[in-house]
Amino acid sequence: MMITAYFWLFTLSFYCHLFVTSSRHKPISTHNYSAFPDEFKFGVGTSAYQNEGAWNTSGKSPNIWDFSTHNQPEKILDRSNADITCDGYNKLEEDIELIAQLKVHCYRFSVSWTRLFPMGYVTTVNPDGVRYYNKVIDLVLAKNITPMITMYHWDLPQSLQNLGGWANPKLANIFVEYADRLFALFGDRVKVWTTFNEPSHICKNAYNGFSAPYLSEDGIGTYLCGHTLLRAHGKTYRLYQRKYKKTQGGSIGIAAETDWYEPLNASSVADRRSVRDYMEMNFGWFVHPIYSKTGDYSPVMRKRIDFVSRAQNFTHSRLPRFTKQEIKEIRGSYDYLGLNHYTTFLLTAAGQNVPATPSYASDANVLLSQDRLWELTGWENFVVVPEGIRYLLHYIGQRYGYDIPISITENGYAGAASEDINDDNRIKYMNGYIQQVLQAINEGSNVVSYIYWTLMDNFEWSRGYTLKFGLYHVDFLSANRTRTPKKSAKVFQNIVVTKQVDNTFDPVEFVH
Ligand code: BGC
């Protein structure tokens, strides 16, 4: 057993070394910090649908998650929904106090599109929505915490889904109008914006049956959706530069997610090529058009989907094409890169050259697995491999440039439903990953912030309330939705305050 464990550790460091020495980009500078630098920011994150509840309060209309949890409850593991969830809408003051107790520098949250604009269009603004988010922002700022707004964390207005959702190219302009109103309403105080949370998750899972709105058309709708999101992102960024940058001075990015991947067999050239190509098809799907020097879809992705589409008798590639103007508009449309990262996989080629039916998975053509010695969490596949985040940060530096500022917009531990407030496993995960981020910074990675996911246990999408990612425990059986700090909340507070990971730190209680 031990021999295998060491073997994998060796494989990990060897593979990273390959990336570091074989690339065009070199780290800009290296350091020897024992603690995170003064300007480094720590934060916590939440999302509107997962936390707010109040699904139909004061004029809010249904989004795709309200609609699908109400109409297809069987899609959620415990048949639950987020009608009330943490009741964050009604417990705002208390929650901001909990955030402040962590001593964090920033708070990442998303706004609910249909709370602000119940029609989906900006034709009608809901005064209660504006009041509510003004209050969130003002309370956060009053605690000296920087608000970071995610414009879209998966909760599309159902009215826009009825028009075809993100597969409809018209949604790009509808999103830009929405974003324009957000800047106008809140941009005087909000300086950090994320357009989309996990665009590849949005598009893959809408069409493969994993997430609302639970559609099929896998491998077709998937790329139409991605195309609209990329166009919407590029246009939003350009609009901000033209109309708001000078007066508001904020920064904009996208939160792209990826796991880290290791070749199943480190000495297999084919497996290593699979890792390289899958990074282009998955992370690169959204990152290449925005963050690469050349823009457009990655040539690897273009070649593979064009080839498979032709072989499947499609007259056009299932991966749409940008106009020259769009490539230009999207390329460089960022101030920072948001990175959501949780775990690591092993990867080998699936060897399915031309699959009979289109799907994203068969286009990607890989088989994922995990080492059985990697430490498990409450969610199968969310295994603990702290080094993965460091290798990933170097991959990004090598592939897209070490100059791009990176905000780790999500990283967190999936606790089982039975988890109690003595969450030592979460502490181990957090300490391990954060320590690796510091090491990556010392090795030249340009990470500027780390946002722990998530503030409190909440509605975990298709897993309902069966998983817990929070620093605070929430009693979903009590009407009051009582929040209790877990041990990890105290450890995280200590990391934020000392800017250091201390594996020996034994929390007693919050330092007020
Ligand atoms: C999402 C979060 C989610 C977390 C854990 C991320 O993909 O952005 O909303 O709770 O993963 O599954």
Side-chain angles (χ1 to χ4, degrees):
M1 293 272 275
M2 281 316 279
I3 291 168
T4 324
Y6 282 126
F7 170 70
W8 278 117
L9 283 178
F10 172 75
T11 312
L12 287 164
S13 30
F14 177 62
Y15 194 61
C16 179
H17 183 68
L18 284 182
F19 270 128
V20 173
T21 51
S22 66
S23 102
R24 298 172 290 138
H25 299 287
K26 290 265 175 286
I28 294 162
S29 57
T30 52
H31 310 278
N32 197 12
Y33 300 128
S34 55
F36 284 87
D38 286 349
E39 61 280 11
F40 191 87
K41 308 270 183 269
F42 283 100
V44 275
T46 61
S47 86
Y49 185 71
Q50 293 178 277
N51 287 69
E52 284 177 10
W55 77 279
N56 61 356
T57 299
S58 303
K60 178 182 168 294
S61 74
N63 58 47
I64 54 175
W65 279 93
D66 295 314
F67 186 84
S68 66
T69 53
H70 295 165
N71 290 290
Q72 295 173 285
E74 70 282 0
K75 298 284 189 192
I76 308 298
L77 191 64
D78 57 4
R79 298 182 73 91
S80 63
N81 57 48
D83 287 0
I84 302 176
T85 181
C86 311
D87 203 19
Y89 176 86
N90 292 308
K91 294 173 78 71
L92 184 55
E93 284 84 356
E94 181 184 337
D95 287 350
I96 304 293
E97 191 52 48
L98 299 182
I99 296 167
Q101 280 179 16
L102 297 169
K103 311 271 187 218
V104 289
H105 314 102
C106 41
Y107 173 45
R108 173 180 185 246
F109 62 97
S110 75
V111 289
S112 159
W113 192 330
T114 56
R115 194 178 299 291
L116 283 164
F117 303 103
M119 308 266 293
Y121 304 101
V122 293
T123 46
T124 335
V125 57
N126 177 14
D128 181 66
V130 177
R131 176 203 61 78
Y132 174 70
Y133 291 115
N134 272 332
K135 196 164 166 197
V136 178
I137 295 163
D138 292 343
L139 286 172
V140 167
L141 284 169
K143 297 282 183 191
N144 231 344
I145 296 170
T146 304
M148 297 170 68
I149 288 193
T150 303
M151 299 174 176
Y152 185 77
H153 200 126
W154 306 359
D155 46 358
L156 189 70
Q158 183 59 34
S159 57
L160 299 183
Q161 188 56 49
N162 294 344
L163 299 179
W166 292 113
N168 181 346
K170 296 260 185 256
L171 257 74
N173 284 335
I174 295 176
F175 179 85
V176 179
E177 287 173 10
Y178 161 65
D180 189 0
R181 295 303 294 271
L182 295 181
F183 296 140
L185 286 166
F186 308 123
D188 55 335
R189 288 151 294 153
V190 175
K191 306 299 171 194
V192 190
W193 297 92
T194 303
T195 50
F196 294 100
N197 179 67
E198 302 195 352
S200 68
H201 186 111
I202 296 168
C203 296
K204 265 191 244 173
N205 295 329
Y207 294 95
N208 69 9
F210 187 72
S211 270
Y214 300 103
L215 303 168
S216 33
E217 286 76 42
D218 192 353
I220 301 171
T222 318
Y223 303 123
L224 295 175
C225 165
H227 207 65
T228 310
L229 295 189
L230 281 162
R231 289 176 48 247
H233 170 87
K235 286 176 190 303
T236 300
Y237 183 83
R238 300 298 162 199
L239 169 101
Y240 190 80
Q241 302 309 300
R242 274 198 313 275
K243 202 168 160 186
Y244 298 101
K245 181 76 180 185
K246 227 174 162 172
T247 49
Q248 299 189 353
S251 54
I252 302 185
I254 198 163
E257 96 279 17
T258 184
D259 304 312
W260 176 238
Y261 304 98
E262 290 292 326
L264 178 62
N265 175 353
S267 58
S268 152
V269 174
D271 285 3
R272 282 164 50 185
R273 189 178 304 129
S274 290
V275 170
R276 193 196 60 196
D277 290 355
Y278 188 60
M279 285 303 287
E280 298 288 312
M281 291 278 303
N282 189 42
F283 190 56
W285 178 8
F286 291 90
V287 173
H288 193 279
I290 302 173
Y291 294 86
S292 72
K293 302 281 180 276
T294 47
D296 202 354
Y297 290 116
S298 151
V300 170
M301 185 163 187
R302 165 61 60 206
K303 196 169 154 207
R304 170 73 183 161
I305 302 173
D306 286 2
F307 165 76
V308 182
S309 303
R310 248 193 325 273
Q312 288 168 334
N313 288 329
F314 281 90
T315 50
H316 292 90
S317 174
R318 287 181 280 104
L319 183 66
R321 285 183 187 281
F322 293 116
T323 63
K324 282 208 171 87
Q325 176 55 29
E326 285 169 342
I327 293 176
K328 238 176 100 190
E329 190 167 64
I330 297 167
R331 188 184 61 217
S333 58
Y334 69 86
D335 299 302
Y336 72 93
L337 169 65
L339 178 66
N340 291 6
H341 172 79
Y342 288 89
T343 192
T344 289
F345 283 88
L346 301 171
L347 202 147
T348 187
Q352 227 193 346
N353 214 14
V354 181
T357 35
S359 73
Y360 174 84
S362 59
D363 288 338
N365 198 22
V366 290
L367 290 176
L368 299 172
S369 60
Q370 285 173 325
D371 190 282
R372 67 193 163 82
L373 294 176
W374 285 340
E375 196 178 318
L376 299 173
T377 66
W379 197 353
E380 79 218 31
N381 297 338
F382 269 55
V383 297
V384 188
V385 187
E387 298 87 347
I389 198 165
R390 178 161 60 91
Y391 301 155
L392 174 59
L393 288 167
H394 284 304
Y395 168 85
I396 295 170
Q398 302 295 328
R399 182 72 184 86
Y400 301 104
Y402 276 95
D403 53 332
I404 300 172
I406 299 174
S407 168
I408 295 169
T409 33
E410 283 184 30
N411 175 242
Y413 178 88
S418 57
E419 178 189 86
D420 68 17
I421 59 169
N422 288 311
D423 54 344
D424 292 315
N425 291 335
R426 174 167 294 101
I427 292 169
K428 199 168 157 210
Y429 178 101
M430 206 160 74
N431 283 346
Y433 276 77
I434 295 176
Q435 189 59 42
Q436 291 290 321
V437 173
L438 177 60
Q439 193 175 328
I441 292 174
N442 277 332
E443 292 163 353
S445 194
N446 192 9
V447 188
V448 296
S449 57
Y450 172 97
I451 319 277
Y452 182 80
W453 185 268
T454 178
L455 173 65
M456 65 183 71
D457 299 339
N458 59 16
F459 177 79
E460 183 42 49
W461 307 111
S462 53
R463 300 299 295 249
Y465 297 96
T466 65
L467 287 172
K468 297 169 183 294
F469 280 87
L471 296 176
Y472 288 88
H473 172 269
V474 177
D475 179 3
F476 290 103
L477 299 176
S478 79
N480 187 36
R481 299 296 195 272
T482 312
R483 283 93 159 108
T484 312
K486 299 182 192 174
K487 203 167 160 185
S488 60
K490 300 167 191 182
V491 172
F492 190 57
Q493 185 205 49
N494 187 58
I495 293 174
V496 175
V497 171
T498 62
K499 296 234 157 133
Q500 257 175 328
V501 171
D502 175 0
N503 290 310
T504 64
F505 177 73
D506 188 12
V508 185
E509 56 186 53
F510 271 113
V511 183
H512 287 286

